[in-house]
Amino acid sequence: MKTVGFITEYNPFHNGHLYHLEEAKKITGADFAVVVMSGNFLQRGVPAITGKWERAEMALRNGADLVIELPVCYSTGSAEFFSSGAIAALDKLGITDSLCFGSECGDAGLLSEIAHILADEPEGYKERLKLKLKSGMSFPSARSAALMDYLSSDPYFSRIEKSALEDTVSNPNNILGVEYIKALIKRKSSIVPYTIKRIGSGYHDAEIAGRICSATSIRNSLLQKKEIGVIRGHVPESVFKILEHMHMNSFPIFEDDFSALLKYQLLLKRSRGEDIAECLDVSRDLAARIYNNLDRYTSFSQFASLLKSREVTHSRITRSFIHILLDIREKDVRSFISEDYMEYARMLGFRKNSTALLGTIKERGSAQLLTKPAQADRVLSPLGMKMLRQDMLASDIYNSVAADKFSSAFINEYTREVIRI
């Protein structure tokens, strides 16, 4: 029994994701596909356009055999936290033979070479990174520039055209791919990385076009046109039916739907004199700028744009907002990581003909396979329960906003049943 792992957001699931799943099974020879998927809040510091349960069902109806939720402290983290948390989840299941991710370059060997440099941090690279950061560059830009300088001096990489190398270290899926491999290296994991070259639209393409287009373009079309029909043909038919059923009932959800709730939290914390710099990704400087500019707040997206600077990226700011909203504190995340990232793997859904996977996880896995959160306190430590309660709160907040937006029923996260298809 061979199993290939995927790290995903599926926001929403589209034809490119279907292609990826099908090709990954071919090139790895896998019998099963296990997906570690972000819940209701994502790595860019925004809510998912639709809930995690519906996105898990989309995956299961299109080739996934098991869907596990990535805890929210990792799903909303930096590329490094996101990747290391997701890799830990796949590794601790005890069933994952390979990892397959999409990339712009399609070259796992090249990405592995870069990952080893970032994992080992040779002195020449560290010196270059310090200089770039001192010049006032944001960390992602500084790391990319320092890496380019270092690679240019290495004979192995000198054979690669400079523009191609720049694309490799700066394109978003390549960056995540490098982080995945770096996390595998640091864990000394036996999981073998594979990559598939992205086809169709680019990651940031905003206009919907072609059968395989970006998730960004699909979300933009739904935001601008507010008609579900505009995405038909750009997602698998099973996905379209799920979204059509949910449209204007619990979907679509956007960051500005959380504007009032975020402002309330910021006003409350400011009035109490709370130190929001304790939250993950919130530096002292950013915390001061948030409080000093709070009277200019009009919406989630407007405030993020207002605070964006050369030193702090838009994504870093939106991640900070989500961490403040959900009270995700850096000291707690460091505690989770120190205890090998997570005690449990919360199952969102599985295919009934893949039940052999569940038995193998129970035999080999080092994480508790969690199907009923209400009974979790029987098997988890206090630290594990702290992580789970954080996940449950995040889902309840998301579900509350969706219920208010569409005047629909609120569903308590503890009542949700695992999806079986």
Side-chain angles (χ1 to χ4, degrees), residues 123-135:
E123 199 59 39
Y125 164 71
K126 287 198 291 187
E127 289 174 359
R128 289 171 169 86
L129 179 59
K130 286 178 184 177
L131 289 172
K132 301 297 181 184
L133 289 170
K134 282 183 180 178
S135 72

PDB file of all heavy atoms in Angstrom, residues 123-135:
ATOM      1  N   GLU A 123      27.428  29.942   6.332  1.00  0.00           N
ATOM      2  CA  GLU A 123      27.803  31.271   6.806  1.00  0.00           C
ATOM      3  C   GLU A 123      27.661  32.338   5.725  1.00  0.00           C
ATOM      4  O   GLU A 123      27.213  33.454   5.988  1.00  0.00           O
ATOM      5  CB  GLU A 123      29.241  31.245   7.339  1.00  0.00           C
ATOM      6  CG  GLU A 123      29.579  32.414   8.244  1.00  0.00           C
ATOM      7  CD  GLU A 123      28.681  32.506   9.467  1.00  0.00           C
ATOM      8  OE1 GLU A 123      28.336  31.452  10.043  1.00  0.00           O
ATOM      9  OE2 GLU A 123      28.316  33.642   9.838  1.00  0.00           O
ATOM     10  N   GLY A 124      28.069  31.994   4.497  1.00  0.00           N
ATOM     11  CA  GLY A 124      27.975  32.965   3.407  1.00  0.00           C
ATOM     12  C   GLY A 124      26.554  33.422   3.152  1.00  0.00           C
ATOM     13  O   GLY A 124      26.302  34.605   2.879  1.00  0.00           O
ATOM     14  N   TYR A 125      25.598  32.518   3.280  1.00  0.00           N
ATOM     15  CA  TYR A 125      24.190  32.879   3.104  1.00  0.00           C
ATOM     16  C   TYR A 125      23.704  33.736   4.269  1.00  0.00           C
ATOM     17  O   TYR A 125      23.034  34.762   4.073  1.00  0.00           O
ATOM     18  CB  TYR A 125      23.333  31.619   2.980  1.00  0.00           C
ATOM     19  CG  TYR A 125      21.864  31.884   3.191  1.00  0.00           C
ATOM     20  CD1 TYR A 125      21.116  32.578   2.243  1.00  0.00           C
ATOM     21  CD2 TYR A 125      21.222  31.490   4.374  1.00  0.00           C
ATOM     22  CE1 TYR A 125      19.772  32.850   2.456  1.00  0.00           C
ATOM     23  CE2 TYR A 125      19.879  31.762   4.586  1.00  0.00           C
ATOM     24  CZ  TYR A 125      19.169  32.445   3.621  1.00  0.00           C
ATOM     25  OH  TYR A 125      17.838  32.725   3.828  1.00  0.00           O
ATOM     26  N   LYS A 126      24.049  33.350   5.511  1.00  0.00           N
ATOM     27  CA  LYS A 126      23.591  34.099   6.686  1.00  0.00           C
ATOM     28  C   LYS A 126      24.111  35.539   6.678  1.00  0.00           C
ATOM     29  O   LYS A 126      23.377  36.466   7.037  1.00  0.00           O
ATOM     30  CB  LYS A 126      24.033  33.388   7.965  1.00  0.00           C
ATOM     31  CG  LYS A 126      23.253  32.128   8.263  1.00  0.00           C
ATOM     32  CD  LYS A 126      23.377  31.683   9.717  1.00  0.00           C
ATOM     33  CE  LYS A 126      24.754  31.196  10.042  1.00  0.00           C
ATOM     34  NZ  LYS A 126      24.831  30.612  11.405  1.00  0.00           N
ATOM     35  N   GLU A 127      25.352  35.729   6.254  1.00  0.00           N
ATOM     36  CA  GLU A 127      25.914  37.080   6.189  1.00  0.00           C
ATOM     37  C   GLU A 127      25.161  37.936   5.178  1.00  0.00           C
ATOM     38  O   GLU A 127      24.867  39.113   5.435  1.00  0.00           O
ATOM     39  CB  GLU A 127      27.394  37.007   5.809  1.00  0.00           C
ATOM     40  CG  GLU A 127      28.277  36.446   6.922  1.00  0.00           C
ATOM     41  CD  GLU A 127      29.710  36.252   6.467  1.00  0.00           C
ATOM     42  OE1 GLU A 127      30.002  36.539   5.279  1.00  0.00           O
ATOM     43  OE2 GLU A 127      30.541  35.812   7.293  1.00  0.00           O
ATOM     44  N   ARG A 128      24.863  37.352   4.037  1.00  0.00           N
ATOM     45  CA  ARG A 128      24.115  38.097   3.006  1.00  0.00           C
ATOM     46  C   ARG A 128      22.716  38.449   3.493  1.00  0.00           C
ATOM     47  O   ARG A 128      22.209  39.548   3.233  1.00  0.00           O
ATOM     48  CB  ARG A 128      24.042  37.262   1.725  1.00  0.00           C
ATOM     49  CG  ARG A 128      25.368  37.137   0.974  1.00  0.00           C
ATOM     50  CD  ARG A 128      25.255  36.113  -0.153  1.00  0.00           C
ATOM     51  NE  ARG A 128      26.393  36.143  -1.047  1.00  0.00           N
ATOM     52  CZ  ARG A 128      27.523  35.485  -0.856  1.00  0.00           C
ATOM     53  NH1 ARG A 128      27.677  34.751   0.258  1.00  0.00           N
ATOM     54  NH2 ARG A 128      28.499  35.544  -1.748  1.00  0.00           N
ATOM     55  N   LEU A 129      22.073  37.522   4.203  1.00  0.00           N
ATOM     56  CA  LEU A 129      20.726  37.781   4.702  1.00  0.00           C
ATOM     57  C   LEU A 129      20.728  38.933   5.713  1.00  0.00           C
ATOM     58  O   LEU A 129      19.856  39.815   5.670  1.00  0.00           O
ATOM     59  CB  LEU A 129      20.161  36.514   5.350  1.00  0.00           C
ATOM     60  CG  LEU A 129      18.758  36.619   5.941  1.00  0.00           C
ATOM     61  CD1 LEU A 129      17.744  37.027   4.885  1.00  0.00           C
ATOM     62  CD2 LEU A 129      18.344  35.293   6.594  1.00  0.00           C
ATOM     63  N   LYS A 130      21.698  38.967   6.616  1.00  0.00           N
ATOM     64  CA  LYS A 130      21.788  40.045   7.596  1.00  0.00           C
ATOM     65  C   LYS A 130      21.921  41.402   6.914  1.00  0.00           C
ATOM     66  O   LYS A 130      21.288  42.385   7.316  1.00  0.00           O
ATOM     67  CB  LYS A 130      22.988  39.810   8.520  1.00  0.00           C
ATOM     68  CG  LYS A 130      22.789  38.699   9.538  1.00  0.00           C
ATOM     69  CD  LYS A 130      24.045  38.511  10.378  1.00  0.00           C
ATOM     70  CE  LYS A 130      23.897  37.336  11.332  1.00  0.00           C
ATOM     71  NZ  LYS A 130      25.144  37.095  12.095  1.00  0.00           N
ATOM     72  N   LEU A 131      22.742  41.458   5.874  1.00  0.00           N
ATOM     73  CA  LEU A 131      22.941  42.723   5.156  1.00  0.00           C
ATOM     74  C   LEU A 131      21.655  43.188   4.486  1.00  0.00           C
ATOM     75  O   LEU A 131      21.322  44.386   4.513  1.00  0.00           O
ATOM     76  CB  LEU A 131      24.048  42.561   4.113  1.00  0.00           C
ATOM     77  CG  LEU A 131      25.484  42.434   4.661  1.00  0.00           C
ATOM     78  CD1 LEU A 131      26.457  42.089   3.534  1.00  0.00           C
ATOM     79  CD2 LEU A 131      25.906  43.746   5.333  1.00  0.00           C
ATOM     80  N   LYS A 132      20.921  42.259   3.886  1.00  0.00           N
ATOM     81  CA  LYS A 132      19.669  42.620   3.204  1.00  0.00           C
ATOM     82  C   LYS A 132      18.634  43.125   4.213  1.00  0.00           C
ATOM     83  O   LYS A 132      17.914  44.094   3.945  1.00  0.00           O
ATOM     84  CB  LYS A 132      19.119  41.419   2.441  1.00  0.00           C
ATOM     85  CG  LYS A 132      20.044  40.824   1.382  1.00  0.00           C
ATOM     86  CD  LYS A 132      20.352  41.794   0.264  1.00  0.00           C
ATOM     87  CE  LYS A 132      21.264  41.132  -0.772  1.00  0.00           C
ATOM     88  NZ  LYS A 132      21.670  42.101  -1.833  1.00  0.00           N
ATOM     89  N   LEU A 133      18.565  42.471   5.364  1.00  0.00           N
ATOM     90  CA  LEU A 133      17.600  42.889   6.380  1.00  0.00           C
ATOM     91  C   LEU A 133      17.957  44.262   6.948  1.00  0.00           C
ATOM     92  O   LEU A 133      17.078  45.088   7.203  1.00  0.00           O
ATOM     93  CB  LEU A 133      17.537  41.852   7.512  1.00  0.00           C
ATOM     94  CG  LEU A 133      16.873  40.523   7.155  1.00  0.00           C
ATOM     95  CD1 LEU A 133      17.086  39.491   8.259  1.00  0.00           C
ATOM     96  CD2 LEU A 133      15.387  40.702   6.886  1.00  0.00           C
ATOM     97  N   LYS A 134      19.257  44.506   7.125  1.00  0.00           N
ATOM     98  CA  LYS A 134      19.701  45.811   7.623  1.00  0.00           C
ATOM     99  C   LYS A 134      19.360  46.932   6.647  1.00  0.00           C
ATOM    100  O   LYS A 134      19.202  48.087   7.048  1.00  0.00           O
ATOM    101  CB  LYS A 134      21.206  45.788   7.881  1.00  0.00           C
ATOM    102  CG  LYS A 134      21.602  45.092   9.179  1.00  0.00           C
ATOM    103  CD  LYS A 134      23.099  45.167   9.403  1.00  0.00           C
ATOM    104  CE  LYS A 134      23.496  44.477  10.704  1.00  0.00           C
ATOM    105  NZ  LYS A 134      24.968  44.517  10.906  1.00  0.00           N
ATOM    106  N   SER A 135      19.254  46.602   5.364  1.00  0.00           N
ATOM    107  CA  SER A 135      18.940  47.626   4.353  1.00  0.00           C
ATOM    108  C   SER A 135      17.467  48.033   4.384  1.00  0.00           C
ATOM    109  O   SER A 135      17.054  48.955   3.677  1.00  0.00           O
ATOM    110  CB  SER A 135      19.303  47.117   2.958  1.00  0.00           C
ATOM    111  OG  SER A 135      18.396  46.118   2.526  1.00  0.00           O
TER     112      SER A 135
END
